[in-house]
Amino acid sequence: MFPGIVRSSSRHLPCRRSLMTVRDALNSAIDEEMAADPKVFVMGEEVGEYQGAYKVTKGLLQKYGPDRVLDTPITEAGFTGIGVGAAFQGLKPIVEFMTFNFAMQAIDHIINSAAKTYYMSGGQIAVPIVFRGPNGAAAGVGAQHSQCFAAWYGSCPGLKVVTPYSAEDARGLLKAAIRDPDPVVFLENELLYGENFPVSSQVRDPNFTLPIGKAKVEREGTDVTITAFSKMVGFALKAADELAKDGIKAEVINLRSIRPLDRETINASVRKTYRLVAVEEGWPQHGVCAEVCASVQEETFDYLDAPIERISGADIPMPYAANLERLALPQIEDIVRAAKRACYRSK
Amino acid sequence: MAMAMARWRQRLLSSACSSSSSSAAAPQALLRLASSALSRQSSSRGFAAAPDDTTPFVVDIPVPYAGHRCDPPEQRVETSAKELVDFFKVMYVMRRMEIAADSLYKAKFIRGFCHLYDGQEAVCVGMEAALTKEDAIITAYRDHCTHIGRGGTVLEVMAELMGRKSGCSLGKGGSMHMYNKEGNFYGGNGIVGAQTALGAGLAFAQKYNKQNAVSLALYGDGAANQGQLFEAMNISALWDLPVIFVCENNHYGMGTAEWRSAKSPEYYKRGDYVPGLKIDGMDVLAVKQGVRFAKEHALTKGPIVLEMDTYRYHGHSMSDPGSTYRTREEISGVRQERDPIERVRKLLLAKEIVTVADLKNLEKQAKAEVDEAVNQAKEGGQPETHELFTHVHVKGLKQLAYGPDRKEVIVPLP
């Protein structure tokens, strides 16, 4: 039930000591990479003295000083451009956006200055930068603070886009992103920061990284494949529990990486189960699930026993009222229903 | 309105630097001033130096600097015979290169965008005289000559313009995306204003790495109103970044004159708390002195804004004749009164460093150099097909990339 746990000889149950929050996973990843490489530095709003708007950068200013942990003014276009320019010169900036909604002010630098420069320069100017921050819906923060940007960034060549779910994902993917010589968009989720996940000693190792571009089969199954990323992985796993009660064994895939998308793992799974439910929190049109669907129908068409199902956010700006917000986002029952439809079960 | 326009046009021709230009010097008077200064120097010293002579001597800078929150540098600068000859040579090559690009564009060897720099040569050449290759430069899309100044060759500029693999960006960038990592030249940027924040980032890295170097972020009068420029200035001043913001004010943002786009076209003052200096951008020695002053400022006191009063003879790009929003008289007037190459020519002749025949030879050599580069570039091949998918990533993860027909073209990214 708990992915990634290592059974020690003296214990049979996971205990507090082996748990780690996503927040601590991110913090420890940045800390270790800053210790290992003096070229790594952090910049963003409130990352320093405030200890991070979501405390992800807690303690880093005290440890590394104001030359390497920089509080910026509220000027995303300006400081993102500065980060990219610093990366042109070989430094390794971690640019934090308080949420990716604000990164829209800087999106020109992410796409035109960061993603495309290595190609346009014929391989002369590399851009080893990480753009990170919370993405997608939080709770009750309204339309301008709830958008999921995975599909937009995921469509852009030159970028690598990752979406951690668990603490293991957060540690491994962030360390990989910081070490990666290309621009990486690292999409976190505010509601996952406080969640605890069991982590093995391997995950805690300072050299632990996860490969960018590889999805993880969180739970094996035989009857239907469910793909998800970020917070929706948790929902998909709970949906799998529900489905199991009705005798449907769902295979849950944590995409981990939006770009590159691990088409191999997704298609291999559908070749086993013959059915697919693709889940995302963001809007459906031109979304990540649309790409997953396209990939599967192109490569694994003959194996499909049912049309592909998509579960995504509603086609509306995010409402504030709690009941409406709940209706605007995928819920576990939506995933269960779609999986049953794919299995031609009415209940 | 007509009066304001007439006064503004007169300012362009006279390149008066003072902001209260109600009595701008008439062009003829200024030229008399400049040439009498030259002849005075020549006659009092009985000057004659060999073209490769590096003995320094001092030259006056006729058009006054204007300072904002700073004391301008002296109106005189040290140079040498060799430096002046080098200035002439490289500016002339740049001039011929841009003219060749014009013809190549019309003959359809160059496609897409082509923004020419002729008229503005003194800015990038004068800058280089005050900088080293440790310093970094980033500019916008009018970058062909800036690339040469940073150590690029005419061949790689021409080849890039024609989309050949021998181009500086392997043919994958084009006119607006020329880079030279070894020369610390970061392009070549197509998005107006973006390069100013990037330039501040270059300076950030230099400070972080404790290098004794500065970064110059060049932008035009059109870009001078961009919000991100002010964001970059704010952070640069706050963090003491060694960045020099250089506004190449050629007075037109595409077809829009400066007085139509800026409430305050005194661009050297727009940094507010950031000091500024206005420089006659058509005088290569004035540029050298100004940039040297700015470099020292940036290294010791923080960012500074330079406004280069300059002019482009061509339109904004090859699709703009450049004559719908300005008169031909204005263009030919500036060419006659303020051309940067002619200015150096007159100085060289007045100081008897070279003869008219020598200069003709240099011009012939420059033309030959450019012609040779054009021919060589024309013979170069286009990039190989597989280059379509190279340089997407430094570290490709072997993920599959697709061509237009995904069943036909599937390539693991290198």
Side-chain angles (χ1 to χ4, degrees):
Chain A
M1 247 180 71
F2 292 100
I5 189 173
V6 164
R7 286 194 180 73
S8 81
S9 54
S10 57
R11 289 174 221 284
H12 298 289
L13 292 167
C15 64
R16 193 114 208 114
R17 200 156 49 95
S18 69
L19 292 176
M20 187 186 252
T21 61
V22 169
R23 178 182 291 114
D24 288 343
L26 296 168
N27 181 278
S28 61
I30 300 172
D31 191 344
E32 286 161 19
E33 295 306 303
M34 287 183 77
D37 186 349
K39 295 203 286 285
V40 179
F41 70 94
V42 176
M43 63 194 290
E45 294 153 14
E46 312 298 354
V47 295
E49 291 189 13
Y50 196 85
Q51 305 297 306
Y54 301 99
K55 305 291 176 272
V56 173
T57 51
K58 184 173 174 179
L60 296 179
L61 174 64
Q62 284 67 32
K63 197 163 172 184
Y64 297 102
D67 285 348
R68 294 183 70 193
V69 181
L70 295 126
D71 281 321
T72 62
I74 309 173
T75 53
E76 275 76 3
F79 71 70
T80 307
I82 286 176
V84 176
F88 281 179
Q89 281 266 38
L91 294 185
K92 307 194 73 155
I94 302 172
V95 176
E96 174 174 306
F97 295 115
M98 202 180 278
T99 78
F100 266 89
N101 300 282
F102 314 143
M104 275 205 281
Q105 304 230 307
I107 202 166
D108 174 63
H109 279 298
I110 299 173
I111 307 297
N112 280 320
S113 305
K116 298 178 184 173
T117 294
Y118 192 63
Y119 191 88
M120 286 194 300
S121 67
Q124 286 186 72
I125 316 284
V127 194
I129 192 167
V130 174
F131 304 105
R132 54 156 290 273
N135 173 63
V141 292
Q144 293 181 340
H145 289 70
S146 304
Q147 193 170 331
C148 175
F149 292 89
W152 286 15
Y153 291 118
S155 69
C156 182
L159 289 181
K160 292 169 180 167
V161 181
V162 292
T163 49
Y165 160 63
S166 62
E168 175 180 331
D169 289 355
R171 257 185 75 77
L173 290 174
L174 187 51
K175 285 160 91 56
I178 295 167
R179 295 180 192 194
D180 198 290
D182 291 308
V184 181
V185 173
F186 194 87
L187 302 172
E188 301 159 7
N189 185 288
E190 192 208 311
L191 299 178
L192 286 176
Y193 284 149
E195 253 191 60
N196 267 300
F197 292 86
V199 287
S200 67
S201 53
Q202 187 198 19
V203 172
R204 287 182 191 275
D205 187 280
N207 274 314
F208 174 71
T209 57
L210 286 172
I212 295 177
K214 287 267 168 290
K216 181 182 181 201
V217 179
E218 293 282 352
R219 176 187 177 125
E220 284 190 15
T222 50
D223 300 330
V224 60
T225 299
I226 306 176
T227 63
F229 62 93
S230 189
K231 191 156 114 265
M232 291 291 116
V233 176
F235 281 35
L237 287 168
K238 295 210 174 79
D241 288 339
E242 285 292 311
L243 290 163
K245 290 181 193 154
D246 283 326
I248 298 176
K249 292 193 269 305
E251 177 148 294
V252 176
I253 298 181
N254 171 5
L255 291 180
R256 278 184 169 172
S257 185
I258 304 297
R259 186 173 189 98
L261 188 64
D262 189 350
R263 300 164 204 277
E264 259 181 59
T265 301
I266 299 167
N267 281 282
S269 175
V270 177
R271 279 197 294 278
K272 195 171 62 163
T273 65
Y274 314 141
R275 298 158 206 281
L276 173 63
V277 176
V279 181
E280 72 185 306
E281 205 182 65
W283 294 318
Q285 192 163 339
H286 316 300
V288 173
C289 291
E291 179 62 30
V292 171
C293 293
S295 173
V296 169
Q297 78 84 24
E298 279 163 7
E299 297 178 43
T300 312
F301 181 79
D302 293 330
Y303 287 76
L304 286 169
D305 275 351
I308 300 169
E309 298 278 351
R310 282 189 294 169
I311 294 295
S312 54
D315 267 308
I316 50 172
M318 185 66 65
Y320 165 67
N323 64 324
L324 294 182
E325 186 179 75
R326 197 182 183 284
L327 291 168
L329 291 168
Q331 303 301 333
I332 296 165
E333 56 258 31
D334 295 312
I335 304 172
V336 170
R337 193 185 316 111
K340 286 185 172 168
R341 269 202 309 264
C343 295
Y344 293 110
R345 299 261 292 264
S346 52
K347 283 205 214 312
Chain B
M1 175 80 141
M3 284 288 284
M5 269 181 65
R7 270 204 298 277
W8 178 74
R9 293 235 141 83
Q10 192 178 41
R11 266 210 300 280
L12 274 186
L13 288 173
S14 65
S15 75
C17 276
S18 143
S19 55
S20 57
S21 47
S22 51
S23 55
Q28 282 72 25
L30 208 67
L31 197 61
R32 272 201 302 278
L33 189 70
S35 58
S36 70
L38 289 174
S39 60
R40 252 200 325 263
Q41 286 175 341
S42 154
S43 59
S44 63
R45 290 199 189 201
F47 209 95
D52 55 357
D53 194 335
T54 53
T55 320
F57 57 85
V58 171
V59 173
D60 283 339
I61 294 166
V63 176
Y65 291 110
H68 166 71
R69 291 186 190 269
C70 70
D71 292 322
E74 283 200 326
Q75 294 291 147
R76 44 216 308 271
V77 67
E78 226 175 59
T79 183
S80 70
K82 180 173 192 308
E83 182 174 67
L84 286 177
V85 172
D86 287 343
F87 281 165
F88 182 90
K89 280 200 281 202
V90 69
M91 286 201 285
Y92 200 80
V93 165
M94 288 176 177
R95 180 68 60 90
R96 296 308 316 172
M97 182 178 76
E98 296 295 77
I99 291 169
D102 177 307
S103 312
L104 289 168
Y105 191 90
K106 285 168 177 152
K108 299 210 192 311
F109 282 94
I110 301 174
R111 308 178 315 119
F113 291 123
C114 192
H115 306 87
L116 299 176
Y117 197 75
D118 49 311
Q120 299 183 218
E121 298 90 349
V123 175
C124 71
V125 172
M127 262 168 35
E128 294 293 348
L131 302 172
T132 70
K133 288 293 182 283
E134 280 276 298
D135 302 310
I137 295 183
I138 190 168
T139 187
Y141 43 76
R142 205 175 297 279
D143 61 343
H144 309 161
C145 299
T146 328
H147 183 82
I148 300 289
R150 286 272 92 188
T153 65
V154 179
L155 170 59
E156 65 192 17
V157 168
M158 284 299 164
E160 187 61 36
L161 289 174
M162 293 196 246
R164 309 297 162 109
K165 61 186 172 197
S166 39
C168 54
S169 303
L170 308 182
K172 290 164 84 164
S175 167
M176 298 186 292
H177 305 299
M178 303 197 171
Y179 301 79
N180 181 348
K181 181 80 169 122
E182 266 171 51
N184 251 324
F185 178 51
Y186 295 90
N189 291 278
I191 305 298
V192 170
Q195 75 276 17
T196 60
L198 296 171
L202 296 173
F204 177 91
Q206 288 168 326
K207 184 173 178 185
Y208 191 100
N209 288 327
K210 300 193 178 4
Q211 294 167 249
N212 196 41
V214 297
S215 292
L216 284 83
L218 276 59
Y219 58 99
D221 44 290
N225 302 308
Q226 273 262 316
Q228 61 186 313
L229 168 59
F230 296 94
E231 295 185 16
M233 283 190 197
N234 178 45
I235 295 182
S236 302
L238 206 52
W239 295 354
D240 288 317
L241 302 183
V243 58
I244 304 171
F245 295 104
V246 181
C247 178
E248 291 187 277
N249 182 10
N250 60 23
H251 306 282
Y252 296 92
M254 200 153 144
T256 305
E258 62 186 338
W259 55 269
R260 286 211 301 137
S261 71
K263 183 69 179 173
S264 163
E266 296 187 295
Y267 300 106
Y268 70 109
K269 291 185 181 171
R270 295 282 291 275
D272 184 9
Y273 41 82
V274 175
L277 185 70
K278 186 164 174 182
I279 301 170
D280 178 6
M282 306 300 258
D283 179 351
V284 66
L285 291 171
V287 172
K288 171 184 166 180
Q289 172 81 319
V291 173
R292 184 202 292 159
F293 169 81
K295 176 168 174 174
E296 210 202 290
H297 189 285
L299 285 174
T300 54
K301 302 195 195 100
I304 184 168
V305 178
L306 298 180
E307 180 184 339
M308 303 284 183
D309 186 351
T310 184
Y311 199 84
R312 54 165 163 82
Y313 297 140
H314 269 90
H316 162 72
S317 71
M318 285 306 297
S319 56
D320 169 25
S323 49
T324 56
Y325 47 85
R326 48 184 195 172
T327 62
R328 292 190 201 280
E329 289 73 47
E330 178 189 296
I331 305 168
S332 55
V334 175
R335 201 189 275 276
Q336 213 176 316
E337 307 295 335
R338 301 178 62 203
D339 185 274
I341 300 174
E342 291 313 300
R343 177 182 226 112
V344 174
R345 182 198 303 275
K346 288 193 181 83
L347 192 52
L348 285 170
L349 292 172
K351 292 213 165 293
E352 295 172 7
I353 295 168
V354 291
T355 63
V356 169
D358 291 333
L359 288 176
K360 280 254 176 316
N361 266 331
L362 289 176
E363 288 172 14
K364 260 178 71 182
Q365 278 169 30
K367 277 193 198 121
E369 186 184 326
V370 169
D371 288 341
E372 170 65 26
V374 168
N375 290 331
Q376 253 195 295
K378 275 181 180 167
E379 279 161 34
Q382 289 183 307
E384 313 289 334
T385 310
H386 74 268
E387 295 285 2
L388 194 60
F389 290 102
T390 56
H391 309 119
V392 175
H393 292 305
V394 174
K395 182 175 161 190
L397 301 169
K398 305 269 189 291
Q399 76 266 29
L400 298 178
Y402 300 91
D405 184 343
R406 334 165 48 84
K407 296 280 159 76
E408 271 293 300
V409 180
I410 309 169
V411 175
L413 282 184

